[in-house]
């Protein structure tokens, strides 16, 4: 099945959900300069979930207005500051290129539950700020002072955004965010070792920065950088090992950290979700890379490539609308990845109840609203 599309726009925030079961996918993305990429429909998603995705297209969570104080809207998440705690709502907004591209059924639930699963699985490496998940789309978090840096960990030479490693390497850069890379590397090639390419956190556009600049600008102390960067690389290595057990390559990801009131450094944002991470299918990677083909992926890269092929997504004032079949395909991939990683079946919510109403009822039941 080949999918074609159109487009839309988005905003920033934090926190997430869990990942997916062992089913074989057939996902192919081929990107050519002027040609639209062909995207094959992923297999392995239960028919009842596919039907629910279609039905849920008119019941996406695109905005929130909870009776809670201090609301801040981000690209994907809305945050409510309760003082010592924060309520983070993961919406269905789909963001890339610092824009809102679409609203994707069940995306928020998948991200929230994927992160919750990973928070539990990685607590031996670094504690998280998660306190509870009172609703599929909601996380109650311990309030932390956020480090204004995103820790982007990479294991491969790839990417298509302005901050991606391949974009800079292709343009001639051999040093990036304090890391050096040899001449002659190809797109999607595995790096000799995992690296961190940090960026500053910004509401509009993240900016690459080196560790030395982070310390020099006072964004973190040297001790904080050393501790957090070490934790980020351990998290990434653990995520790669867990992904490999499931036939996946965890290609790159990003983490955010903060300090709680006692000075404990905690993981505060989503972890290893299909939004924050790039995943490829392991068993076909080597052959496809040798043949010069794009890896089989189960992340949102195909949507980025679709937009890249049709417009300047950073600068065009109006973006075309992403078509329904492309949005549905992305939703299927989110669910697929959730099930493949966690080994748990995705729980389809009551589609007759608006997501906002369900969320408010659950928060009231938890004594939060």
């Amino acid at each position: 099945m080949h999918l074609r599309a159109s487009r839309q726009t988005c905003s920033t925030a934090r926190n997430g959900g869990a990942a997916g079961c062992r089913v074989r996918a057939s996902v192919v993305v081929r990107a050519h300069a002027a040609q639209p990429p062909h995207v094959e429909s992923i297999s392995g998603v239960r028919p009842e979930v596919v039907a629910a995705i279609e039905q849920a297209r008119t019941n996406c969570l695109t905005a929130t207005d909870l009776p809670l104080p201090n609301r801040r809207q981000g690209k994907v998440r809305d945050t409510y500051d309760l003082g010592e705690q924060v309520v983070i709502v993961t919406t269905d907004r789909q963001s890339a290129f610092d824009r809102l591209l679409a609203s994707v059924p069940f995306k928020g639930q998948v991200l929230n539950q994927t992160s919750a699963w990973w928070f539990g699985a990685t607590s031996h490496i670094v504690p998280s700020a998660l306190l509870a998940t009172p609703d599929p789309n909601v996380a109650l978090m311990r309030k932390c002072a956020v480090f204004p840096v995103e820790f982007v960990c990479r294991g491969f030479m790839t990417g298509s955004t302005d901050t991606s490693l391949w974009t800079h390497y292709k343009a001639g850069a051999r040093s990036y965010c304090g890391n050096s890379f040899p001449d002659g590397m190809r797109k999607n090639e595995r790096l000799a070792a995992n690296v961190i390419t940090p960026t500053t956190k910004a509401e509009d556009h993240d900016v690459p920065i080196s560790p030395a600049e982070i310390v020099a600008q006072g964004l973190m102390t040297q001790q904080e950088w050393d501790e957090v960067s070490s934790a980020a690389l351990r998290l990434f290595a653990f995520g790669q090992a867990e992904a490999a057990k499931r036939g996946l390559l965890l290609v790159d990801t990003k983490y955010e950290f903060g300090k709680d009131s006692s000075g404990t450094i905690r993981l505060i944002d989503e972890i290893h979700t299909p939004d924050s991470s790039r995943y490829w299918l392991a068993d076909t990677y080597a052959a496809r890379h040798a043949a010069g083909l794009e890896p089989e992926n189960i992340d949102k890269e195909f949507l980025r490539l679709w937009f890249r092929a049709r417009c300047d997504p950073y600068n065009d004032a109006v973006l075309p609308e992403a078509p329904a079949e492309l949005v549905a395909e992305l939703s299927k991939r989110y669910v697929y990845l959730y099930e493949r990683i966690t080994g748990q079946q995705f729980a389809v919510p009551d589609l007759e109840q608006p997501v906002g109403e369900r969320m408010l009822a659950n928060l009231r039941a938890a004594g939060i609203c």
Side-chain angles (χ1 to χ4, degrees):
M1 174 183 177
H2 298 299
L3 303 178
R4 303 189 175 241
S6 277
R7 334 184 177 164
Q8 281 180 349
T9 318
C10 197
S11 253
T12 313
R14 38 188 41 89
N15 206 43
C21 96
R22 302 184 177 225
V23 204
R24 175 76 171 91
S26 177
V27 185
V28 182
V29 178
R30 298 181 183 88
H32 304 286
Q35 292 288 99
H38 298 295
V39 182
E40 293 185 9
S41 182
I42 194 168
S43 61
V45 179
R46 287 170 287 132
E48 59 268 31
V49 174
V50 175
I53 288 171
E54 178 62 27
Q55 186 178 346
R57 284 178 50 209
T58 57
N59 190 19
C60 288
L61 182 62
T62 56
T64 71
D65 187 22
L66 295 172
L68 293 172
N70 306 315
R71 174 181 174 274
R72 182 178 69 84
Q73 178 174 315
K75 293 177 183 176
V76 175
R77 293 169 180 81
D78 292 352
T79 302
Y80 295 82
D81 188 341
L82 307 186
E84 295 183 359
Q85 300 173 342
V86 292
V87 169
I88 299 174
V89 182
T90 307
T91 72
D92 297 324
R93 299 191 295 262
Q94 184 63 47
S95 170
F97 307 111
D98 304 315
R99 307 285 290 270
L100 175 65
L101 304 182
S103 293
V104 180
F106 306 137
K107 176 191 170 179
Q109 178 177 339
V110 165
L111 297 189
N112 195 50
Q113 294 179 333
T114 299
S115 288
W117 187 88
W118 279 110
F119 283 149
T122 59
S123 60
H124 64 291
I125 300 175
V126 62
S128 77
L130 181 66
L131 296 171
T133 51
D135 179 86
N137 286 72
V138 178
L140 180 66
M141 307 284 279
R142 191 188 311 262
K143 189 173 182 180
C144 293
V146 181
F147 293 118
V149 174
E150 290 195 352
F151 289 75
V152 183
C153 292
R154 303 182 187 275
F156 292 78
M157 174 66 70
T158 194
S160 61
T161 67
D162 281 359
T163 57
S164 76
L165 182 53
W166 173 246
T167 298
H168 286 260
Y169 187 89
K170 182 176 63 173
R174 295 296 178 265
S175 179
Y176 186 53
C177 297
N179 303 286
S180 297
F181 303 94
D183 289 330
M185 293 195 71
R186 297 167 54 208
K187 186 184 181 189
N188 303 326
E189 182 175 341
R190 189 188 292 270
L191 301 177
N194 293 333
V195 300
I196 297 179
T197 59
T199 66
T200 59
K201 280 193 59 58
E203 291 298 318
D204 51 355
H205 189 62
D206 298 335
V207 179
I209 190 171
S210 71
E213 290 170 329
I214 289 171
V215 175
Q217 293 178 23
L219 302 180
M220 301 177 75
T221 66
Q222 186 64 55
Q223 181 179 350
E224 288 170 340
W225 166 261
D226 291 343
E227 181 177 349
V228 177
S229 61
S230 174
L233 286 172
R234 294 199 308 274
L235 286 169
F236 189 49
F238 179 82
Q240 287 179 313
E242 291 299 304
K245 295 175 185 177
R246 294 150 175 82
L248 301 171
L249 296 173
L250 176 58
V251 177
D252 49 42
T253 194
K254 64 98 178 170
Y255 307 107
E256 295 182 45
F257 297 85
K259 270 188 178 180
D260 66 17
S261 57
S262 67
T264 300
I265 291 177
R266 295 181 180 273
L267 185 61
I268 62 169
D269 196 25
E270 62 183 323
I271 169 174
H272 300 164
T273 71
D275 229 31
S276 66
S277 312
R278 195 186 318 266
Y279 286 94
W280 294 338
L281 296 181
D283 59 355
T284 59
Y285 163 73
R288 293 184 66 82
H289 183 60
L293 300 174
E294 288 291 317
E296 291 185 289
N297 69 68
I298 34 179
D299 53 45
K300 63 182 181 181
E301 180 68 1
F302 76 93
L303 188 65
R304 293 191 190 106
L305 294 174
W306 189 92
F307 277 93
R308 279 285 198 193
R310 289 162 176 77
C311 68
D312 181 348
Y314 280 113
N315 297 309
D316 288 356
V318 178
L319 301 183
E321 181 184 355
E325 62 268 27
L326 198 66
V327 171
E329 180 62 27
L330 186 54
S331 180
K332 287 167 59 179
R333 294 180 187 208
Y334 277 112
V335 172
Y336 175 88
L337 194 58
Y338 168 83
E339 293 189 339
R340 184 153 182 165
I341 291 178
T342 66
Q344 302 168 0
Q345 282 198 348
F346 176 76
V348 176
D350 180 2
L351 299 177
E352 299 301 319
Q353 183 181 29
V355 180
E357 289 183 9
R358 182 206 70 209
M359 192 167 60
L360 182 57
N362 285 335
L363 287 174
R364 283 175 172 160
I368 297 173
C369 281

